[in-house]
Structure formats: C-alpha cells, structure tokens
Amino acid sequence: MSPWQAAAIDLAHCIRFYSRLPVPALPWEQDAHAPPSFPRLLRMIPVAGLVLGLLPAMVLGLALLLDLGPWLAATLSVATVVLTTGALHEDGLADTADSIGGTTREKRLEIMRDSRIGSFGASALFLALALRTGALAALASRIDGSAIVAAILIAASLSRTAGLMPLVFLPPARADGMSQAVGQPARKTFWRAAGIAVILTIVLGVPSGLPFAGIVLMLVLSGLSGLALTRFAERHLGGQTGDIAGAAQQVAEIAALIGLLTVLPA
C-alpha cells in the first residue's frame, strides 16, 4: 500500500468517526468499519476537519448568494454542521458543562455518562450555538464570500486539532471509556498534525484576503482554548474523556471565529 493510499484510508476513517456522512469503502481498504486508532489517524484530523467544513461553507455561501441575509445564512450553516456531525461535539460540550454540578471526581464522571441533559448543559449548548451563529453572521456582513468560506474551513480544521489536546496531553479519566479504547496519541504525532493545521490555515487564509492579524489570532486562540480545556479536565476529572475533547473543539471554534472578527472593521 502506498503512503497516499494509507493517508486516504486514515482520512476516510476520520470522516466516518466525526460525521454521519456516507463514506464508501475505498478499493484498497480492508475494513471500512474498523474502530478508529487515534495514534495512527492523528495526522489526518486537520484535513478531515477541513473536509467537514466544506458543506457548511457551501451552504452559507449559497444562502448569501440568494440574499437570505447573514443571520439566516449563518443559522443554516451551523444547522448543517449539527446535522452532518450528529451533534457529536455539541453533546460533549453539554455533558462537560453538566459535570460542573458534581462535587466529586466520581460524581462528575457519572454525570457525563448520563444521557439526560441538565441546566448547565442546556445553557452551554444554547450559548455555543448562539455564539457560533452570531460570529458567522457578523463575519458574513464584513468580508466577502471567498473569505467567509476560508474562515469556516480554517475554524473547522483548527478546532478539531485543538480538540485533540486533552487526548494527547492527559491520561484517560476512565479505564473503560471511549478515549481509552481509541488509544492515546503520541505528542510528536500531535505536533505534526498541528503543523499541518497551521499550513492549511495559511494556504487558505492568505489567498482569500483574510487579515494576517486575524489568521494569527485564529491560530493562537484555538490553541489556547484547547490548552484551557486540557487544564480544566486535569483539575476537574484528573484526566480526559471524549466529552472533554468535544467541548475543546466547540470552544476552539468559537474562539477562532471571534478572534478573526475582532480585527475586522465594522
């Protein structure tokens, strides 16, 4: 198997894991439904994030072309993300927020496994959706179509890379959780993935006309968000879970979009 074929298989596995998009088995792929191995797939997650951002970006661009207005266009774009990913990261954010009500580590982990959503989780979910929609609407009113498409793709790639940070830098909080099952990636591999995310950000951001300061802020704030959620998980749970990774992705995406917005003239 060539390196390109191996990379294509890893990308297909990433998209299957992170979304509900129908990804057919590749001709040279032995098991299309094998569980993901994050230590191996890590390098393709920034690319998978970019791919998952394509449809929301196209929906927003089409809505703007139809003169539906920035708010409706942004809402449709965010709705597309939720539908295509099955609210995977949103669920992690809600569970993480609900765990704040736990008084002990064990209770917090128990709350995070509960399928029911509480007041903290519902509030966090509403605020996250509102912040993403508001940020996209504001961006759509300040920059042109190609630039807003680039911003969505960059945020999708960077945020999923930032979501890996708890998985890489912390041990699993449970002995039987999903994060334990998929394996802990090596830090060296993560830094390679981060390098790919940086390259993708520059390649997309500069030609589209995004301000350089905005590109830098997207990089810095998404990384700091991943680091903040990693430190929170360490103190809150003594380790990481898949829900923490989802929460880190959500916070990083919001931070990246708002960071870009702060350097654009109103």
Side-chain angles (χ1 to χ4, degrees):
M1 183 185 300
S2 71
W4 289 107
Q5 289 175 324
I9 290 174
D10 290 345
L11 178 59
H13 274 283
C14 287
I15 295 173
R16 292 189 191 110
F17 179 80
Y18 279 112
S19 77
R20 294 185 174 181
L21 295 174
V23 181
L26 301 177
W28 54 87
E29 191 173 9
Q30 293 182 349
D31 186 1
H33 303 289
S37 173
F38 272 85
R40 192 187 78 247
L41 302 181
L42 202 70
R43 56 178 180 157
M44 296 307 295
I45 287 178
V47 182
L50 188 149
V51 172
L52 293 175
L54 285 173
L55 189 55
M58 291 170 60
V59 168
L60 186 139
L62 179 60
L64 291 176
L65 286 175
L66 294 174
D67 290 327
L68 297 183
W71 275 98
L72 182 53
T75 303
L76 289 171
S77 179
V78 172
T80 302
V81 176
V82 174
L83 288 173
T84 55
T85 62
L88 176 67
H89 303 299
E90 288 82 359
D91 178 69
L93 175 66
D95 287 342
T96 299
D98 274 335
S99 73
I100 294 174
T103 54
T104 65
R105 173 183 178 274
E106 291 72 22
K107 183 62 177 177
R108 293 163 189 157
L109 289 171
E110 180 184 343
I111 290 172
M112 294 174 79
R113 272 196 164 159
D114 192 336
S115 60
R116 295 170 296 180
I117 188 170
S119 56
F120 283 129
S123 299
L125 191 56
F126 172 80
L127 289 171
L129 292 171
L131 286 168
R132 288 158 65 195
T133 303
L136 285 177
L139 286 171
S141 66
R142 299 186 188 186
I143 54 180
D144 61 25
S146 62
I148 187 66
V149 166
I152 292 174
L153 297 179
I154 290 170
S157 179
L158 289 178
S159 62
R160 283 167 179 81
T161 306
L164 295 170
M165 294 177 72
L167 304 179
V168 172
F169 295 106
L170 294 178
R174 299 188 186 97
D176 59 345
M178 175 64 75
S179 60
Q180 172 70 29
V182 299
Q184 186 171 19
R187 295 187 180 187
K188 180 173 68 174
T189 310
F190 167 76
W191 290 119
R192 289 175 182 170
I196 292 172
V198 171
I199 292 170
L200 291 174
T201 297
I202 295 172
V203 168
L204 288 168
V206 173
S208 67
L210 291 178
F212 183 74
I215 294 173
V216 171
L217 275 177
M218 294 184 82
L219 288 166
V220 171
L221 293 181
S222 61
L224 288 177
S225 297
L227 178 61
L229 264 293
T230 302
R231 294 295 176 86
F232 168 79
E234 185 176 25
R235 296 177 182 178
H236 191 62
L237 302 172
Q240 47 82 6
T241 68
D243 287 330
I244 290 291
Q249 186 278 328
Q250 291 283 285
V251 175
E253 182 174 336
I254 292 167
L257 292 174
I258 292 179
L260 173 60
L261 188 61
T262 58
V263 303
L264 296 172

